[in-house]
């Protein structure tokens, strides 16, 4: 294969790889988009001859997306790395809900509504940290490791979100 052919092939492959990488980046950067879902209760309203509550949901799509975990780190004085089994972080959103219901005979208001929007969510899976029953080799011990108590720990999972909502009253919400 000539060097010009190799150069052209390398340039084409580099362009294709850049295009694929650029196309994949916006999809991951979009985040979660809430998809509205309404609960059909109009038929029950006609059958019962009265107003029924109105309900709707916001389902985030995708619900959870994994992000790259932070790998094990070397700790001076320990034989094993700090995070032997690393924690895996996820980002996403909590589902939202909207509900309004008629309240006959209330003081001037005939509807009560609750709105819980979809909220961002960050979570981290549990991890494991452990240490071997041997220390690192030391000069004081003629290059041999010493014995120590083995250590085992579970890194607690994390769940972070800010949940907010709105309570409203009025006529014909």
């Amino acid at each position: 294969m000539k060097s010009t052919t190799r150069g052209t092939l390398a340039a084409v492959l580099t362009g294709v790889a850049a295009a694929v990488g650029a196309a994949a980046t916006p999809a991951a950067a979009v985040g979660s988009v809430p998809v509205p879902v309404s609960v059909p209760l109009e038929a029950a309203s006609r059958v019962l001859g009265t107003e029924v509550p109105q309900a709707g949901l916001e389902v985030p799509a995708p619900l959870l997306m994994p992000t790259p975990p932070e790998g094990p780190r070397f700790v001076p004085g320990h034989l094993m790395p700090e995070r032997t089994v690393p924690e895996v972080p996820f980002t996403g959103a909590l589902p939202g809900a909207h509900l309004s219901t008629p309240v006959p005979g209330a003081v001037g208001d005939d509807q009560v509504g609750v709105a819980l929007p979809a909220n961002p969510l960050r979570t981290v899976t549990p991890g494991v940290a452990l240490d071997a029953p041997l220390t690192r080799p030391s000069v004081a011990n003629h290059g041999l490791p010493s014995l120590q108590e083995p250590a085992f720990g579970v890194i607690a999972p994390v769940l972070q979100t800010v949940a907010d909502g709105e309570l409203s009253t009025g006529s014909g919400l």
Side-chain angles (χ1 to χ4, degrees), residues 2 19 27 31 39 45 54 69 93 95 98-99 107 123 142-143 147 158 163 166 168 171 173:
K2 291 184 180 179
V39 179
S45 176
Q54 297 174 356
H98 302 280
L99 176 69
V107 183
T123 183
H142 307 292
L147 291 175
V158 176
E166 182 179 306
S168 58
S171 60
L173 287 175

Side-chain angles (χ1 to χ4, degrees), residues 72-98:
R73 291 187 298 205
F74 174 74
V75 178
H78 291 275
L79 192 59
M80 303 287 285
E82 186 177 52
R83 294 184 188 115
T84 311
V85 177
E87 304 164 298
V88 179
F90 288 88
T91 57
L94 287 175
H98 302 280

Side-chain angles (χ1 to χ4, degrees), residues 6 8 15-16 39 45 55 58 67 78 90 98 118 126 137 149 157:
R6 267 190 239 147
T8 305
V16 168
V39 179
S45 176
E58 289 182 6
T67 56
H78 291 275
F90 288 88
H98 302 280
E149 290 185 21

